[in-house]
Amino acid sequence: MRKINYKLIVSDFDGTLIDDNQNVPEQVKKAISEYINAGGIFAVCTGRMLRSILPQVRKLGLSGLVIANQGSVIADIESGNLLKCNSIPYVEVAEICRNIKELNQPVNIYCGDNLYTDIPKDNEYLQLYERIVCVSAEYVNGQMFDFVLNKRLNCQKIAILVKRSERDALYSELNTRLGERFDVTCSAKELVEISPKGDTKGEAVKYLCGRFNISLEECIAVGDNLNDISMIKTAGIGVAVENADDSLKALADFISISNNDGAIAQIIEKYGFA
């Protein structure tokens, strides 16, 4: 059996672990299995809600912990039990929704296992998003901030589905308005997301290292977008896949091949084993 080098690998999911067809490449499955069988720990850290990512990591055969909603949720894969579930209080969620509406943008809110949207259900972009995350959104007819206040909905995340050409400007504006009190980030070219301050992927990496008694220097983190910046800066080795946002690549210790070419398999072979 091969000897482990870096003891923990933490990977983003969309755009990193899976390819653009929403599949895990066969060479990646094989590499992860070999790494785990040799004693390594492999964990997924994603912006997806728990309801979306839990079936995916189970299908991959992973056990242990999974991190969802940018780091605000940590759960046991086998039981689904929550070890951490932080949220934004409903009054502040309503405030965020008001700010988004002032910018004439749609709103998605993530509350536990429920996804609410004010995007009409026949919208093709919403339908594509629902197919990707395997979660059907409940349509809110009216102002989302009123809905949140009436239902007193504390939320783990608020997201805006946006045109690619508009993402960076919207991210900048919301970061200016809300960035001192909340984490504003992007997990895809079409998404701007807001989550509890400090509940980042970087903090999740620290949690995992503490949980498994592994030093940060023995950890690798891999990602493709702005929400992965904190974890690739935290881990001993921070990797950006070839298809990553340029801002992430600029901070990475290594740039791998793309998600479509089996990046995680390359990373495991390069760093996972001695």
Side-chain angles (χ1 to χ4, degrees):
M1 183 179 292
R2 300 176 70 181
K3 184 179 179 181
I4 288 295
N5 184 16
Y6 284 80
K7 296 179 180 179
L8 170 65
I9 298 175
V10 183
S11 174
D12 174 50
F13 192 69
D14 295 279
T16 303
L17 179 60
I18 60 173
D19 62 25
D20 291 348
N21 293 317
Q22 308 301 306
N23 297 313
V24 180
E26 287 302 317
Q27 69 266 37
V28 170
K29 293 179 183 178
K30 182 179 178 181
I32 292 172
S33 179
E34 184 179 3
Y35 177 71
I36 292 172
N37 289 339
I41 298 172
F42 188 89
V44 170
C45 185
T46 179
R48 289 196 187 197
M49 62 196 300
L50 185 62
R51 178 182 168 190
S52 174
I53 194 59
L54 204 51
Q56 299 294 333
V57 292
R58 285 172 174 168
K59 185 168 65 175
L60 193 55
L62 297 182
S63 59
L65 303 182
V66 64
I67 297 93
N69 283 326
Q70 316 290 20
S72 62
V73 173
I74 301 176
D76 177 78
I77 293 173
E78 293 174 301
S79 67
N81 291 338
L82 295 172
L83 283 76
K84 175 184 176 182
C85 185
N86 289 348
S87 59
I88 301 173
Y90 71 92
V91 173
E92 294 180 339
V93 174
E95 177 190 348
I96 293 168
C97 292
R98 283 194 182 95
N99 274 274
I100 295 170
K101 273 304 167 186
E102 285 176 8
L103 299 171
N104 296 313
Q105 296 291 344
V107 184
N108 286 354
I109 62 171
Y110 301 73
C111 311
D113 285 338
N114 298 310
L115 168 59
Y116 301 99
T117 186
D118 60 7
I119 304 173
K121 292 291 285 182
D122 60 355
N123 182 282
E124 62 179 311
Y125 296 105
L126 176 66
Q127 291 174 354
L128 175 61
Y129 179 73
E130 289 177 320
R131 288 196 298 272
I132 289 172
V133 300
C134 300
V135 174
S136 180
E138 180 179 328
Y139 177 66
V140 174
N141 186 13
Q143 296 293 347
M144 187 66 79
F145 49 79
D146 287 334
F147 178 76
V148 167
L149 289 173
N150 290 336
K151 297 287 186 178
R152 298 191 173 191
L153 293 174
N154 299 331
C155 300
Q156 286 75 49
K157 189 176 72 172
I158 300 97
I160 306 101
L161 276 170
V162 64
K163 294 179 181 178
R164 291 187 177 192
S165 60
E166 299 175 0
R167 190 201 75 166
D168 289 349
L170 180 63
Y171 165 72
S172 179
E173 177 62 27
L174 287 174
N175 203 31
T176 298
R177 292 185 179 212
L178 303 169
E180 290 188 3
R181 297 165 53 207
F182 310 99
D183 278 315
V184 182
T185 190
C186 302
S187 63
K189 294 175 181 177
E190 306 85 0
L191 283 169
V192 179
E193 304 185 359
I194 301 160
S195 54
K197 191 72 172 179
D199 285 322
T200 64
K201 290 189 175 188
E203 289 303 309
V205 166
K206 292 178 184 178
Y207 178 92
L208 290 176
C209 286
R211 175 90 175 183
F212 297 115
N213 195 27
I214 294 171
S215 70
L216 290 172
E217 289 71 28
E218 297 173 297
C219 172
I220 302 166
V222 192
D224 76 309
N225 225 300
L226 304 188
N227 64 331
D228 299 312
I229 288 175
S230 62
M231 74 173 182
I232 74 158
K233 290 173 68 176
T234 298
I237 296 287
V239 181
V241 291
E242 192 278 331
N243 51 291
D245 192 281
D246 287 341
S247 60
L248 189 75
K249 287 182 178 181
L251 297 169
D253 298 303
F254 174 67
I255 299 174
S256 74
I257 57 179
S258 78
N259 64 319
N260 290 323
D261 296 321
I264 294 299
Q266 182 197 48
I267 294 160
I268 288 174
E269 184 61 32
K270 182 176 178 65
Y271 293 111
F273 297 106

